[in-house]
Amino acid sequence: DQQVKQNSPSLSVQEGRISILNCDYTNSMFDYFLWYKKYPAEGPTFLISISSIKDKNEDGRFTVFLNKSAKHLSLHIVPSQPGDSAVYFCAAKSVAGAGGYNKLIFGAGTRLAVHP
Amino acid sequence: KAGVTQTPRYLIKTRGQQVTLSCSPISGHRSVSWYQQTPGQGLQFLFEYFSETQRNKGNFPGRFSGRQFSNSRSEMNVSTLELGDSALYLCASSRGLAASSYEQYFGPGTRLTVT
């Protein structure tokens, strides 16, 4: 049961254009969302996050949008650069039930290729 | 500040064997989480240790176990290896519990191949 879904396994974008990576979730109790970037042979690195009380968070070329009613978030990269080519994972924090602990749940990832 | 280190980086084992992977977190970080990454499945959460106690556990069989030492270093053990255990195993450290909005820092991973 995948609670966090990244339905596009890959995305190809031309340098200078906008990259839009999408993520859907099923659990309305998620209250915090994160994006990670992963280069080959390296571990994922934190990119940007957003709390469920916001609908947008911006950091330089990266902006994350959250649509709670649609249970959808997206990461926009503008302008895209060849160095942005990597696998991007979205993650959501789940609220634990009684006696449990919160956990982070990751999507399967989207491979972004930015071409010169 | 040194990052998260994982040893070994690559490992080849045979079905039925057991394996132990090691993770050294960033200095000062008390939480270590372990993930399994396979193609198409993303990062599957295994477990999290904080202050030497397992605080959280994913949906993996009991063949997967772990522990954390007083210096916050952590080990993960997989017994009776199966072909499907072939994956990249990532550990991540954070100052506090991973899901308490603390940023996680990942190591480069250990690539395990089971033949």
Side-chain angles (χ1 to χ4, degrees):
Chain A
D1 175 28
Q2 284 213 307
Q3 297 187 61
V4 178
K5 297 180 183 179
Q6 293 178 256
N7 292 318
S8 298
S10 63
L11 176 68
S12 182
V13 172
Q14 192 171 13
E15 181 178 7
R17 299 287 187 109
I18 183 172
S19 294
I20 300 176
L21 297 102
N22 295 303
C23 181
D24 296 298
Y25 60 94
T26 57
N27 189 339
S28 58
M29 298 300 289
F30 287 152
D31 64 352
Y32 196 74
F33 303 89
L34 307 92
W35 284 93
Y36 283 81
K37 178 169 73 172
K38 184 181 185 298
Y39 293 118
E42 295 181 13
T45 55
F46 170 77
L47 194 56
I48 192 169
S49 63
I50 187 167
S51 165
S52 62
I53 63 173
K54 296 185 177 181
D55 55 16
K56 176 183 175 181
N57 187 27
E58 192 172 352
D59 183 3
R61 297 186 297 113
F62 303 90
T63 303
V64 56
F65 295 91
L66 176 62
N67 182 333
K68 287 190 292 293
S69 61
K71 296 191 180 68
H72 177 84
L73 68 155
S74 61
L75 174 68
H76 292 209
I77 307 174
V78 184
S80 301
Q81 300 173 354
D84 296 329
S85 297
V87 177
Y88 290 78
F89 293 97
C90 73
K93 186 184 78 168
S94 69
V95 178
Y101 292 92
N102 296 335
K103 60 177 73 170
L104 288 177
I105 299 174
F106 285 80
T110 295
R111 183 177 301 278
L112 172 66
V114 180
H115 300 288
Chain B
K1 198 173 189 181
V4 179
T5 58
Q6 290 186 248
T7 56
R9 292 292 310 276
Y10 302 91
L11 205 49
I12 299 175
K13 288 286 189 178
T14 305
R15 255 186 315 178
Q17 287 186 313
Q18 75 159 15
V19 66
T20 299
L21 312 181
S22 181
C23 173
S24 293
I26 290 172
S27 177
H29 285 194
R30 296 168 64 190
S31 167
V32 173
S33 297
W34 288 89
Y35 295 87
Q36 180 195 66
Q37 185 190 358
T38 53
Q41 292 296 315
L43 277 69
Q44 302 287 313
F45 173 75
L46 280 153
F47 29 65
E48 178 180 13
Y49 285 86
F50 183 86
S51 294
E52 302 178 63
T53 303
Q54 187 181 90
R55 299 302 181 114
N56 216 339
K57 191 175 187 304
N59 299 320
F60 278 81
R63 300 184 297 107
F64 292 82
S65 63
R67 60 178 175 167
Q68 187 179 37
F69 302 95
S70 57
N71 61 359
S72 293
R73 189 178 70 86
S74 177
E75 287 182 348
M76 188 192 91
N77 186 77
V78 188
S79 62
T80 320
L81 283 166
E82 300 177 359
L83 294 178
D85 297 334
S86 295
L88 180 68
Y89 289 89
L90 293 159
C91 87
S93 77
S94 56
R95 285 186 292 122
L97 287 170
S100 300
S101 303
Y102 285 101
E103 182 179 329
Q104 283 189 299
Y105 296 82
F106 283 83
T110 294
R111 172 73 63 187
L112 171 65
T113 302
V114 182
T115 62

